[in-house]
Amino acid sequence: MSDIEINSILTETRLFEPPANFTANARLKMAELETLHQQADSDYEGFWAQQANALLDWHTPFSKTLDDSNAPHYQWFNDGTMNVSYNCIDRHLATQAAKTAIIFEGENGDTRHISYQQLHDEVCAFANALKAQGIKKGDRVVIYMPMVAEAVIAMQACARIGAIHSVVFGGFSAESLRDRIEDAGAVMLITADGGTRGGKIVELKQAADKALSKGCSSIQHVIVLKRSGHDIAMQAGRDIWWHDAIADQPSSCEPEWVNAEHPLFLLYTSGSTGKPKGIQHASAGYLLNAMTTNLWVFDLQDNDIFWCTADVGWITGHTYVAYGPLAAGATVVMYEGSPMVPDGGRFWKMCEQHKVSIFYTAPTAIRALMKLGDDLPAAYDLSSLRLLGTVGEPINPEAWMWYHRVIGRQRCPIVDTWWQTETGAIVISPVPGVTATKPGSCTLPLPGMDVAVVNEAGDPITRANTGGYLVIKKPWPSMVRTVWNDNQRYIDTYYAKFGGKYYLAGDSARCDEDGYFWIMGRIDDVLNVSGHRLGTMEVESALVANDAVVEAAVVGRPDELKGEAIVAFVICKGERPAGEAASAMVQALRNWVGEQIGAIAKPDEIRFADGLPKTRSGKIMRRLLRDIAANKAITSDTSTLENEHVVAQLQGKV
Ligand code: PRX
């Protein structure tokens, strides 16, 4: 048995059939779902062509569905032209201009309802403002904003004029922002004075100024939204307030009709080595799967209120806040702040107040709220909810059951959705009116998604419950197109392993007797902290960039709340820190990493030693470090260890 073929010990036998009343009103019932699968199986391209024609509005129709002549650079619908913003907004105006597109709530409780007409007007005015600042089709625009409606308006405005946005999560530090601006060669930065989270101001403009103080020479202008209202510095000639930028702009703006393959956005995500990768998505294919999945998985219907709690800084906030639901003409909820303000009932209070019918969040949030007990959710009327979803990491069955029982009140199906920044949209998920669910399984691939678990040789694993590599065998419309500035990295990361045949997801998975997929974790050194991917390498680079540090290795340790906690093994210059000096160094290094990357990357634990456990060929023994971090008995063979004495140090025994 090869390394990857791990026998699973987790057995979950509970099965939850879709509630009959949900199925009765669902968009997809068994027959419709089967038809979609059959169409995709018998005529793959014809199936996607039909979906693209039915769900998107084209300026000029496409004649070729899939061009695979330059694989693995696949092109979809490329001789067609369209505009994403037009598809998300304008096409709804004839029938539902007054319908609410976005319900925004700030942490302080301020709310705003934005209709499709208002959204149109604001997006157009801002698109005109971008043009007035010299932004053209193909320019890169970095968006570094709080979770406010204007973030979506900025994204939509870029899409409208064919500019390529790159949203950088507002929790990232100035250094991370700088790296992303420089890699993208962005000419504009859109930010805010500050956001509010956990009762504190997030100093976005200050961080932006710091990022721009060194390098970033491509940036010509910075547009600043007034949100927190506190004093900030504005640099004359470079910085302009959002309200001034739009002041004289008309509320209409002809969309830029772009080819289907025109890049819509870049989104940086962690890999196991090197710096974050600029995942590049195309326009039409991305929007198509954003729509299909909103319809199939979230069963979006006319009167739904859809709340996906993800920040727009992540792919989930792109596909299930800023684009997909709007393309489907739905109403979305956006919340600026922390789920714990003023207390852990905030989500449930908002569900009651805004009559949320579909609620989509991450397992880490569910676990954190579960810990607070059943009383908080019990205090609110959650009867508007009809469907629940999760994303970002495997959900443990206990958290699934709590979500089902306490939030869904045993009435709501749960869709555990597997996908990635690179897939653009959900790939494996229950279809809520059809699929019986099992706590902890993302169940079955959606129509048109050809997913398999294969062994080292790339052959399908047929034995039930045997782990292997999760791969996608056929290209799909919303797939990553390339890694910005580093095409070779795209090929190496996703297509090299199986000789260009399959897309390698980087996860291990197994299928059970019913063919249900169970995600087992990453196969590379990528951590999953609170549902967000972080490269161990990024944290290690940040640590060694500190003057006091000589060498560092970072691994994940299973964590009840966050999925994975970050454990760093650090070698310092001079004496190994001990006692108070060690505590002070831990504090200093945690803050340092926070500054270099962002708070989510701060190691939860730092251990010091005189060296790292290495093989005679000089490779760090990561598996051994993982055992040590988890305080497990050491199972790795340590006989090849160059420096065996450091193991005891790292275990904290000496
Ligand atoms: O390991 C898988 C995990 O999150 C990774 C993708 O991370 P990211 O690109 O940041 O996107 C997260 C939101 C789509 C995957 O490779 N993951 C995501 N969803 C699930 C999951 N693991 C298990 N179950 C899921 N439902």
Side-chain angles (χ1 to χ4, degrees), residues 398-428:
E398 189 198 353
W400 195 102
M401 288 305 299
W402 184 81
Y403 202 28
H404 168 72
R405 183 173 55 79
V406 179
I407 307 305
R409 315 255 155 109
Q410 307 191 41
R411 297 179 291 104
C412 304
I414 296 180
V415 287
D416 174 350
T417 63
W418 179 87
W419 60 297
Q420 309 177 291
T421 305
E422 293 88 340
T423 68
I426 297 168
V427 174
I428 312 177

Side-chain angles (χ1 to χ4, degrees), residues 145 254 267 400 476 498 576 639:
M145 291 188 70
E254 173 73 6
L267 186 58
W400 195 102
W476 66 103
F498 297 112
R576 174 162 72 113
S639 61

Side-chain angles (χ1 to χ4, degrees), residues 316 391-394 416-421 507 519 522 533:
T316 311
V391 61
E393 56 176 309
D416 174 350
T417 63
W418 179 87
W419 60 297
Q420 309 177 291
T421 305
D507 282 357
I519 306 298
R522 298 286 305 177
R533 266 196 288 174

